[in-house]
């Protein structure tokens, strides 16, 4: 059974850091795109970052570029999102998702991703 489980969310002050984890079970993350998306109340779902296992390419939304880093631990079948210099506007539920293939410049399109986790809440507030 394919399962993605996010963890690592929480409450952090502006300027702080969090590391989100997306642990996959029931399948290997190899040959997949693994994306992080987020959704704040009243907002549409937004693509944050993605990791292409075919060539280890990484992609970032402009809003998080330079602050967030996506990485993968093959041995643990887990993808991480290191979030630094967090801002209140980063507050959202963060979801990881996987899709088979390599999407290149279309990495941000949620329709490419087939399996989704349950989400983890990130709140940035003083």
């Amino acid at each position: 059974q394919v399962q993605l489980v996010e963890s690592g969310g929480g409450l952090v002050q502006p300027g702080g850091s969090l590391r989100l984890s997306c642990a996959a079970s029931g399948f290997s993350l190899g040959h997949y795109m693994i994306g992080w998306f987020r959704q704040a109340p009243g907002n549409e779902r937004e693509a944050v970052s993605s990791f292409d296992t075919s060539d280890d390419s990484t992609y970032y939304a402009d809003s998080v570029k330079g602050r967030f880093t996506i990485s993968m631990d093959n041995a643990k079948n887990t993808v991480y999102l290191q979030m630094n210099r967090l801002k209140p506007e980063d507050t959202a539920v963060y979801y990881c998702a996987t899709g088979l293939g390599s999407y290149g410049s279309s990495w941000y399109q949620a329709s490419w991703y087939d399996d989704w986790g349950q989400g983890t809440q990130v709140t940035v507030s003083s």
Side-chain angles (χ1 to χ4, degrees), residues 67-120:
R67 300 188 297 123
F68 291 11
T69 303
I70 191 170
S71 62
M72 180 175 171
D73 186 328
N74 287 294
K76 296 183 178 180
N77 212 30
T78 299
V79 171
Y80 302 98
L81 185 68
Q82 177 66 44
M83 306 187 296
N84 297 329
R85 304 200 311 273
L86 283 160
K87 304 175 181 180
E89 51 263 45
D90 294 318
T91 296
V93 177
Y94 284 70
Y95 301 89
C96 69
T98 60
L100 189 62
S102 181
Y103 310 148
S105 59
S106 297
W107 69 272
Y108 57 91
Q109 295 187 11
S111 58
W112 287 117
Y113 299 82
D114 301 311
D115 295 296
W116 294 75
Q118 83 290 347
T120 185

Side-chain angles (χ1 to χ4, degrees), residues 16-56:
S17 298
L18 284 173
R19 188 178 79 158
L20 304 184
S21 300
C22 173
S25 61
F27 72 109
S28 171
L29 287 172
H31 309 296
Y32 281 82
M33 292 284 290
I34 304 97
W36 284 98
F37 293 78
R38 66 187 181 187
Q39 188 166 21
N43 289 1
E44 293 186 356
R45 183 170 49 190
E46 174 189 18
V48 176
S49 181
S50 193
F51 187 96
D52 186 343
T53 60
S54 70
D55 60 4
D56 290 352

